[in-house]
């Protein structure tokens, strides 16, 4: 090897070493800035970025379902030098072209909480098993009613979203409705479900949806909600109608406020998920890719636990003391 070649190789090594030493840039795009679940996800990513010495870029849609806002965020982050982007897709299908362009630029993309459609549109998925989350509260609800005929209202997310469908179908499967599994791609129906409405995971919209369901079916005695803000809205509607003591609400999230609602009897049980853990693990994977080029792949299950103070035989659960100690994955 001649002297010039040695100098050139040394320069390349120096540049590579300099690049590796630079602050890795990772992006996080959530569905909204206000939903408590995504607030905690952002906190988890910020905490992990600080520990890893990484720069975190953050953005969110204006509301759940704002695909255009997420597409703009992806483009801005790629331009800003993000080597990895973590995203909770608002529209699982419509976001795919933007994800494809980012990956063609060498950006690793990890879906958080919500998969893209197709799943292969991202490099990896870090998420709760949403079907299982639904199953747990469905099993609990069936045991709680103890053979009493159910008249169910489901306050879902919005049409076509895979997380909303998985939780809805898991709930009905757990309740015992036959012919439903994790591969069922449309929201299932059954004779017990007397009202299906969309809440967009929002308290105000959840309250309106519950009011509408009660107008059509005042004898509802079981309410499934996509998340705890929707559950809080449903409870307000039930209380205004004087029905809050006669209706069981089951939900998903296990956030600190939601667990307190379980403790207070507002919600009978909730399936607790862990966004701090979810975002922290994904951020670590993003930094590893930025520094080493090693990509994350496949599905990482970030866990789910049924939380209730009214345990039911044959249904695994933990009490609210545990739920408060673990809420959001802290």
């Amino acid at each position: 090897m001649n002297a010039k070649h040695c100098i050139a190789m040394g320069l390349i090594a120096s540049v590579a070493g300099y690049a590796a030493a630079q602050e890795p840039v990772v992006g996080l795009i959530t569905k909204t800035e206000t939903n408590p679940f995504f607030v905690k996800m952002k906190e988890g990513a910020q905490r992990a970025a600080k520990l890893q010495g990484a720069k975190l870029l953050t953005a969110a849609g204006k509301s759940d379902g704002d695909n255009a806002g997420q597409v703009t965020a992806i483009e801005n982050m790629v331009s800003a030098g993000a080597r990895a982007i973590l995203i909770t897709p608002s529209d699982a299908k419509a976001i795919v072209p933007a994800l494809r362009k980012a990956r063609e630029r060498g950006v690793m993309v990890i879906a958080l909480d919500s998969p893209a459609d197709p799943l292969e549109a991202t490099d990896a998925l870090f998420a709760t098993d949403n079907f299982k989350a639904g199953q747990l509260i469905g099993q609990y609800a069936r045991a709680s009613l103890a053979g009493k005929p159910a008249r169910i209202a489901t306050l879902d997310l919005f049409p076509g979203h895979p997380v909303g469908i998985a939780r809805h179908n898991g709930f009905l499967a757990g309740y015992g409705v036959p012919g439903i599994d994790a591969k069922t791609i449309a929201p299932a129906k059954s004779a017990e479900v007397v009202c299906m409405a969309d809440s967009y995971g929002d308290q105000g919209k959840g309250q309106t949806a519950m009011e509408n369901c009660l107008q059509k079916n005042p004898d509802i005695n079981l309410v499934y909600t996509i998340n705890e803000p929707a559950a809080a809205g449903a409870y307000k509607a039930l209380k205004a109608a004087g029905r809050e003591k006669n209706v069981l609400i089951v939900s998903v999230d296990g956030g600190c406020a939601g667990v307190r609602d379980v403790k207070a009897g507002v919600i009978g049980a909730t399936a607790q998920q862990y966004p701090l853990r979810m975002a922290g693990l994904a951020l670590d994977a993003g930094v590893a890719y930025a520094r080493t080029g090693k990509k994350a792949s496949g599905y990482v299950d970030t866990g789910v636990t049924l939380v209730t103070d009214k345990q039911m035989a044959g249904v695994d659960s933990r009490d609210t003391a545990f739920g408060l100690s673990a809420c959001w994955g802290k």
Side-chain angles (χ1 to χ4, degrees):
M1 184 181 295
N2 61 38
K4 288 183 178 180
H5 188 60
C6 288
I7 291 170
M9 292 297 291
L11 180 60
I12 291 171
S14 296
V15 170
Y18 176 77
Q22 294 307 291
E23 187 178 48
V25 180
V26 178
L28 171 68
I29 304 169
T30 54
K31 294 178 183 177
T32 74
E33 291 275 11
T34 56
N35 184 306
F37 182 85
F38 300 122
V39 171
K40 289 299 175 182
M41 183 176 283
K42 183 176 176 179
E43 287 180 13
Q46 288 171 329
R47 182 186 304 171
K50 186 175 181 180
L51 291 171
Q52 290 276 13
K55 180 179 180 180
L56 179 67
L57 308 176
T58 63
K62 293 179 181 178
S63 62
D64 209 330
D66 178 16
N67 181 69
Q70 291 197 322
V71 169
T72 298
I74 291 170
E75 293 170 349
N76 290 342
M77 288 179 180
V78 172
S79 296
R83 294 288 291 129
I85 292 176
L86 322 177
I87 183 169
T88 60
S90 278
D91 189 316
K93 292 183 178 180
I95 199 67
V96 169
L99 299 180
R100 184 184 303 116
K101 289 179 182 178
R103 294 175 75 190
E104 287 172 352
R105 296 277 298 273
V107 177
M108 182 180 72
V109 178
I110 296 177
L112 297 179
D113 181 55
S114 306
D117 184 4
L119 187 64
E120 296 76 20
T122 61
D123 292 288
L125 169 65
F126 287 54
T128 304
D129 183 335
N130 286 293
F131 187 83
K132 181 179 179 181
Q135 271 187 309
L136 288 171
I137 55 173
Q139 291 166 356
Y140 177 87
R142 182 179 177 88
S144 295
L145 264 62
K148 183 178 178 180
R151 290 174 291 278
I152 302 172
T154 66
L155 303 192
D156 298 304
L157 190 53
F158 57 82
H161 199 284
V163 168
I165 293 169
R167 292 183 188 177
H168 172 102
N169 289 347
F171 165 73
L172 291 180
Y175 194 81
V177 176
I180 305 170
D181 60 28
K183 295 181 180 179
T184 304
I185 61 173
K189 299 179 181 180
S190 75
E192 295 94 340
V193 178
V194 298
C195 187
M196 292 172 60
D198 296 320
S199 71
Y200 288 78
D202 175 81
Q203 180 171 330
K205 290 182 175 66
Q207 181 175 348
T208 300
M210 190 73 247
E211 290 168 349
N212 293 338
C213 283
L214 285 172
Q215 287 178 3
K216 298 173 185 176
N217 301 278
D219 57 350
I220 287 166
N221 61 358
L222 174 58
V223 178
Y224 151 82
T225 69
I226 181 68
N227 67 2
E228 290 155 1
Y235 181 81
K236 287 187 71 174
L238 290 165
K239 189 171 183 179
R243 294 293 319 284
E244 77 276 11
K245 294 181 180 179
N246 306 111
V247 180
L248 172 66
I249 300 174
V250 292
S251 194
V252 179
D253 264 356
C256 302
V259 174
R260 286 192 288 269
D261 279 347
V262 174
K263 188 176 180 68
V266 171
I267 300 172
T270 190
Q272 185 171 72
Q273 50 181 345
Y274 305 104
L276 285 167
R277 179 190 306 165
M278 189 184 298
L281 291 172
L283 190 286
D284 289 347
V287 171
Y289 172 69
R291 287 180 169 152
T292 70
K294 182 179 179 181
K295 285 187 176 181
S297 63
Y299 168 55
V300 176
D301 184 348
T302 54
V304 62
T305 306
L306 183 71
V307 174
T308 181
D309 282 334
K310 297 179 180 178
Q311 278 74 26
M312 294 290 156
V315 184
D316 289 337
S317 65
R318 301 291 299 271
D319 63 16
T320 56
F322 168 84
L324 287 171
S325 73
C327 56
W328 297 132
K330 62 186 180 184

